[in-house]
Amino acid sequence: MRYPHLFQPLKIGPVTLENRLMMGSMHTGMEGLPDAFDRLAAFYRARAEGGAGLIVTGGFSPTEDGEFGDGDSLFNAAEHAETHAVIPAAVHAAGARIFLQLLHAGRYSKRPDAVAPSAIRAPINRNQPRALAADEIPAIIEAYGRSAVLAQQAGYDGVEIMGSEGYLLTQFLSPRTNHREDDWGGSFANRARLAVEVVRHVRGCVGDGLAIAFRMSMLDLVEGGLTGDELVELATLLEAAGADSLTTGIGWHEARVPTIAQAVPRRLCFGVRTDQSGGHNPCCGLQPD
Ligand SMILES: Cc1cc2nc3c(=O)[nH]c(=O)nc-3n(C[C@H](O)[C@H](O)[C@H](O)COP(=O)(O)O)c2cc1C
């Protein structure tokens, strides 16, 4: 066989995957629809039945100001753990595992209260962020910990901390977006501090019972991106802080090199509908055009 390890189990921290097929994180936009979480559960269950050993949800924010702006991607309260619980239950029933992605959008947020390491607007966002005060940063770290504990309560097997594609943690890492002169900017150790402290704090909150993945940007594709040596150093720091696995992303959203195909044919979804009679329906729930 060409890929002898692909269908072998893999251990990530406390979690054992049946195979190494991973469906990466994709925000579906279904979060705001009626019956959103039943639809999402059906969507992910279909992917688990299709053979994925591990699924990562789309990004959910640990804080309100870290949301994209749609108001549907917040995950920081007991009620969110309750509404999400159908998702891991559906995926587990199909024999797969699922991580919740924690994503703070930083200067990519369209909210008027968007925050960033420095008050520098993203070229792809009309919104001007404000620079975080140093004494606001510990609350962000704590918010990640709270969300991870809630993810555990919801039944997720792990969290993936989003540190790629130009979102808040990436913004802190890069001199392109981080012009701070305090402990959170300047040297690489200072720029990496937020990412590392988030992982360390999440590990302290969840103990050994929840897997922690960190999505690193392996190639920023923007001026001022991290060097290869910095990436190796970051990976080493994240592992020491408690990450069980490092997942990867390529390119900030503002990069001039396109890296994401957004056109997903709606009708493909209906191609996998197998049961219209009220039983389990793996369709994503969208209506035909
Ligand atoms: C509709 C859509 C939503 C996405 N949402 C997220 C997200 O919430 N979090 C994330 O880390 N990546 C997200 N991505 C990026 C994907 O995880 C992936 O990196 C990208 O589609 C490139 O995949 P490829 O390398 O297989 O071509 C999204 C991609 C698409 C197309």
Side-chain angles (χ1 to χ4, degrees):
M1 187 197 270
R2 195 153 177 198
Y3 300 103
H5 303 297
L6 189 57
F7 293 101
Q8 299 300 315
L10 179 69
K11 205 166 172 325
I12 301 180
V15 176
T16 302
L17 308 180
E18 271 190 9
N19 64 56
R20 298 159 190 219
L21 281 172
M22 172 179 163
M23 177 185 156
S25 175
M26 265 172 287
H27 190 242
T28 62
M30 282 194 271
E31 294 75 15
L33 298 178
D35 303 326
F37 287 88
D38 289 337
R39 291 175 193 234
L40 284 166
F43 176 85
Y44 289 124
R45 181 177 174 141
R47 273 74 196 163
E49 287 172 347
L54 176 64
I55 293 172
V56 183
T57 68
F60 284 87
S61 178
T63 66
E64 284 185 23
D65 56 17
E67 284 197 278
F68 291 112
D70 52 16
D72 298 319
S73 55
L74 189 60
F75 188 89
N76 71 352
E79 69 193 81
H80 300 136
E82 282 164 27
T83 47
H84 274 247
V86 289
I87 296 177
V91 169
H92 292 161
R97 301 297 186 141
I98 183 161
F99 292 1
L100 177 80
Q101 189 183 72
L102 297 178
L103 184 161
H104 189 305
R107 72 176 193 158
Y108 282 165
S109 171
K110 298 202 161 37
R111 288 174 55 103
D113 56 354
V115 295
S118 304
I120 308 169
R121 192 177 63 79
I124 56 169
N125 192 355
R126 293 207 182 100
N127 213 16
Q128 172 69 42
R130 73 173 175 85
L132 280 160
D135 63 5
E136 292 178 293
I137 295 175
I140 295 180
I141 297 171
E142 282 163 24
Y144 275 92
R146 186 167 56 247
S147 296
V149 169
L150 290 166
Q152 203 168 15
Q153 287 170 10
Y156 285 108
D157 302 290
V159 287
E160 181 181 73
I161 296 167
M162 180 50 161
S164 175
E165 261 86 344
Y167 291 113
L168 183 75
L169 300 183
T170 330
Q171 292 159 25
F172 266 86
L173 279 160
S174 170
R176 174 184 177 83
T177 39
N178 184 343
H179 294 186
R180 300 179 72 94
E181 293 177 350
D182 58 8
D183 289 348
W184 305 94
S187 66
F188 179 71
N190 280 358
R191 285 182 275 122
R193 192 181 306 280
L194 180 58
V196 172
E197 291 309 320
V198 163
V199 172
R200 198 190 317 282
H201 180 67
V202 168
R203 176 57 75 208
C205 289
V206 300
D208 293 333
L210 193 75
I212 301 176
F214 187 97
R215 190 170 192 190
M216 283 178 61
S217 177
M218 299 308 287
L219 184 61
D220 289 331
L221 296 174
V222 292
E223 272 179 42
L226 298 196
T227 65
D229 287 346
E230 286 175 330
L231 286 176
V232 172
E233 199 177 333
L234 177 62
T236 309
L237 291 170
L238 293 169
E239 185 185 8
D244 294 305
S245 74
L246 300 173
T247 45
T248 61
I250 291 185
W252 290 31
H253 287 315
E254 68 205 60
R256 304 302 296 158
V257 182
T259 55
I260 295 185
Q262 301 218 13
V264 181
R266 291 173 62 119
R267 286 181 190 280
L268 200 60
C269 206
F270 289 84
V272 298
R273 183 188 284 266
T274 56
D275 178 0
Q276 312 242 353
S277 63
H280 167 61
N281 177 1
C283 174
C284 66
L286 293 174
Q287 295 306 309
D289 296 327

